[in-house]
Amino acid sequence: LDTHEEKKPKAGFREEIMTTSDRRTRLAKCCTPVPGDEIMGVKTTKRKISVHRMGCPQLGQIGAKKIPLSWEEGSGVYEAQLTAITKDRIGILKDILGVFSRNRAQISSTVVKKGNQDMNFCTFGVRAKNRAELESLAKKISELNGVIEVRR
């Protein structure tokens, strides 16, 4: 990923543009940002920049220098996560996977954990182009019978 400086007169900050060719920059695995998300860079000890979604719990715990970032216009596919909290019912996983299939979404991983009180936590690694694509999938999954909540 590559960063290019963009001059903005905001409170003395330099906002950098996030692009896909700079090897100094990596997307944080804790919050899996995708284009459309508001993002913030954090300088790491190895002179790299770790990119987090605004609101990521890790951002508040990191004491390193933070760098305002924005996404470069362009295309690409990014890894993100969606977690569906569901009632424990037969066929719920098949129904969720059907949403991904009908929308031609690529799934890179699936983990289902049994919660308490007849609930399941279904976490999917999803390859998406942007935030709108993820929000569309989350909305369709949340409309399924037995789905309590979908979050990133």
Side-chain angles (χ1 to χ4, degrees), residues 21-103:
S21 59
D22 189 341
R23 294 179 186 200
R24 296 177 303 147
T25 312
R26 69 172 180 83
L27 299 175
K29 292 180 181 176
C30 52
C31 58
T32 59
V34 295
D37 288 335
E38 290 185 33
I39 54 176
M40 178 71 70
V42 176
K43 288 216 177 200
T44 67
T45 56
K46 296 181 181 179
R47 297 182 186 212
K48 295 190 181 267
I49 299 171
S50 179
V51 181
H52 294 263
R53 284 180 21 209
M54 294 297 279
C56 173
Q58 295 293 322
L59 269 178
Q61 297 174 5
I62 300 170
K65 181 179 178 185
K66 294 176 178 66
I67 303 162
L69 297 174
S70 60
W71 292 99
E72 171 193 44
E73 294 296 323
S75 62
V77 177
Y78 298 85
E79 185 74 24
Q81 285 190 343
L82 289 177
T83 299
I85 302 168
T86 70
K87 294 180 182 175
D88 189 14
R89 78 161 171 85
I90 294 172
I92 190 79
L93 185 56
K94 176 188 75 69
D95 293 346
I96 294 170
L97 291 172
V99 169
F100 289 119
S101 179
R102 285 188 299 279
N103 289 278

Side-chain angles (χ1 to χ4, degrees), residues 90-150:
I90 294 172
I92 190 79
L93 185 56
K94 176 188 75 69
D95 293 346
I96 294 170
L97 291 172
V99 169
F100 289 119
S101 179
R102 285 188 299 279
N103 289 278
R104 305 185 55 78
Q106 294 181 342
I107 300 173
S108 59
S109 65
T110 303
V111 176
V112 179
K113 293 185 179 180
K114 177 82 173 126
N116 56 4
Q117 301 177 1
D118 294 326
M119 289 179 25
N120 293 321
F121 295 85
C122 308
T123 302
F124 302 92
V126 181
R127 292 189 178 109
K129 294 176 188 167
N130 54 44
R131 181 179 180 169
E133 186 176 342
L134 285 173
E135 287 175 349
S136 174
L137 287 167
K139 182 177 185 302
K140 290 172 183 174
I141 292 169
S142 69
E143 293 169 351
L144 294 173
N145 180 32
V147 174
I148 299 165
E149 179 183 359
V150 180

